[in-house]
């Protein structure tokens, strides 16, 4: 059965796969004391680049909803307010969770093997979503660095939309130039590849991927006409998942970008693949919840739980199914009963504070994506 041309089932399916890949990488890191955990961790290090796939998907989704609708200051403020309403409540909740742990640690009620995880000096950057600019690496709920990076892209999006309004092909330069600037800086400063930038420079890592997503939306009709078999998407995703750890980091990043573009090509040419037949897209609404909650769940189950059950056969490894089940349940509950109601309430507040703008308000019902 062919998909409709406005379907994004491949992109939606990729989102939940990417979130699952990040969970596998981080949970195997918790289990490195076991040979199985160590083996998985060593062969899934490339899964960290699935975060860059999020940036591409985010750029595509934002462009599809807001191109042509952020041309006035009230519209821009409403757009930014809606993005904050989507990402900030769960970020704040997970930050408060780790601040409670930090407080217990500093007051002597608890102990930790990693006190560097809880620097109070990093709290302002976390609160204001600046920790992908100048934050400390891997603190508190550390995957949230990507929210800071995305917020930077959201702030620039109205300029991108304005720049490409009359000259659509200019968006290609907005992909190439940030990537080129990042590469020049790496060569000149001798830093690690920019695909590894997180808390220092994560905003610049996100920009090429986000703009690539915008470009794919603007050029979607051309992409749909590419003479590429849908099998290329399936094979590239499988190959990257299984063998991406063999690739140099920047080559692996290009592979992730390619997978995202091929997914868009499949969506817009109406292809059906193994991914859509398995209906991974049905779980895509829980992507953000899963991504943001998997480390707090690991802290509760794989750290605190393992300490409390020291005589448990297999130790942390035997608690892995518990962590996965808890994550699935927490993601469902968070999305349905915390994130969604809060998002709607905050959107109503923004709408009351700003003059009515029909084209922006119309996107409210479709903003469940990350």
């Amino acid at each position: 059965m062919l998909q409709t041309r406005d379907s994004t089932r491949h992109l939606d399916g990729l989102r939940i796969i990417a979130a699952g890949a990040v969970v596998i990488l981080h949970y195997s890191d918790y289990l490195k004391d076991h040979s199985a955990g160590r083996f998985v961790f060593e062969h899934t290090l490339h899964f960290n680049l699935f975060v860059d796939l999020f940036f591409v998907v985010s750029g595509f989704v934002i462009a599809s909803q807001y191109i042509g609708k952020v041309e006035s200051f009230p519209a821009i403020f409403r757009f930014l307010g809606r993005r904050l309403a989507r990402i900030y409540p769960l970020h704040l909740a997970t930050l408060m969770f780790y601040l409670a742990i930090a407080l217990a640690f500093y007051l002597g009620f608890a102990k930790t093997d990693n006190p560097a995880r809880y620097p109070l000096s990093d709290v302002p950057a976390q609160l204001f979503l600046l920790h992908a600019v100048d934050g400390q690496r891997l603190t508190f709920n550390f995957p949230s660095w990507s929210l800071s990076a995305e917020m930077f892209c959201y702030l620039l999006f109205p300029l991108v939309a304005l720049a490409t309004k009359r000259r659509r092909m200019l968006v290609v330069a907005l992909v190439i130039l940030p990537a080129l600037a990042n590469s020049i800086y790496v060569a000149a400063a001798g830093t690690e590849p920019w695909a590894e930038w997180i808390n220092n420079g994560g905003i610049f890592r996100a920009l090429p991927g986000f703009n690539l997503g915008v470009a794919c939306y603007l050029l979607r009709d051309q992409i749909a006409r590419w003479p590429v078999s849908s099998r290329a998407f399936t094979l590239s995703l499988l190959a990257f998942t299984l063998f991406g750890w063999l690739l140099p980091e920047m080559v692996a990043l290009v592979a992730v970008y390619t997978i995202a573009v091929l997914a868009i090509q499949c969506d817009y040419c109406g292809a059906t693949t193994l991914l859509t037949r398995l209906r991974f897209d049905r779980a895509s609404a829980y992507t953000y919840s899963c991504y943001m909650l998997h480390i707090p769940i690991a802290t509760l189950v794989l750290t605190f739980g393992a300490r409390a059950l020291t005589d448990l056969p297999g130790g942390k490894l035997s608690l892995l199914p518990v962590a996965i089940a808890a994550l699935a349940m927490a993601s469902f509950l968070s999305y349905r009963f915390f994130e969604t109601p809060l998002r709607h309430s905050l959107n109503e507040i923004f709408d009351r504070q700003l003059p009515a703008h029909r084209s922006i308000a119309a996107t409210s019902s479709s903003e469940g994506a990350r």
Side-chain angles (χ1 to χ4, degrees), residues 131-361:
H131 49 305
V133 181
D134 189 27
Q136 299 185 42
R137 190 178 180 96
L138 303 184
T139 63
F140 300 103
N141 189 27
F142 58 84
S144 69
W145 73 268
S146 66
L147 306 187
S148 173
E150 286 209 18
M151 199 64 210
F152 173 72
C153 295
Y154 299 154
L155 288 169
L156 292 183
F157 174 72
L159 296 177
V160 173
L162 179 63
T164 58
K165 182 177 181 180
R166 293 185 178 180
R167 297 188 177 183
R168 183 170 296 187
M169 292 304 297
L170 184 60
V171 74
V172 177
L174 297 179
V175 177
I176 295 173
L177 291 178
L180 184 60
N182 290 348
S183 302
I184 292 173
Y185 179 84
V186 168
T191 69
E192 71 274 11
W194 55 268
E196 296 181 13
W197 294 353
I198 298 179
N199 290 68
N200 287 299
I203 58 173
F204 301 113
R205 168 181 171 179
L207 195 55
F210 184 89
N211 285 349
L212 176 61
V214 176
C216 287
Y217 176 74
L218 293 176
L219 304 175
R220 61 195 182 280
D221 290 335
Q222 293 91 320
I223 292 173
R225 292 194 293 269
W226 286 356
V228 179
S229 168
S230 60
R231 293 177 183 174
F233 164 73
T234 304
L235 292 175
S236 63
L237 178 59
L238 287 174
F240 178 79
T241 301
L242 295 174
F243 305 112
W245 60 279
L246 295 170
L247 298 173
E249 190 134 30
M250 294 307 298
V251 175
L253 178 62
V254 172
V256 166
Y257 287 166
T258 301
I259 290 167
V261 175
L262 289 175
I264 292 166
Q265 196 267 344
C266 286
D267 279 335
Y268 277 86
C269 75
T272 298
T273 67
L274 179 63
L275 186 70
T276 54
R277 284 194 290 269
L278 294 176
R279 295 309 307 270
F280 278 91
D281 57 293
R282 290 180 176 177
S284 64
Y286 308 109
T287 299
Y288 179 62
S289 313
C290 177
Y291 179 76
M292 288 295 291
L293 292 174
H294 76 280
I295 295 299
I297 292 295
T299 298
L300 289 173
V301 177
L302 300 179
T303 299
F304 295 160
R307 289 177 185 171
L309 303 171
T310 54
D311 297 329
L312 193 68
K316 289 182 181 180
L317 192 61
S318 61
L319 289 173
L320 180 60
V322 178
I324 294 173
L327 176 60
M329 180 59 68
S331 298
F332 173 81
L333 294 174
S334 174
Y335 178 75
R336 291 296 180 90
F337 302 109
F338 177 71
E339 298 165 59
T340 300
L342 261 180
R343 174 166 55 88
H344 290 322
S345 297
L346 290 172
N347 284 344
E348 290 176 2
I349 292 172
F350 289 130
D351 287 343
R352 287 197 298 269
Q353 294 300 317
L354 292 168
H357 193 285
R358 188 174 302 171
S359 62
I360 289 292

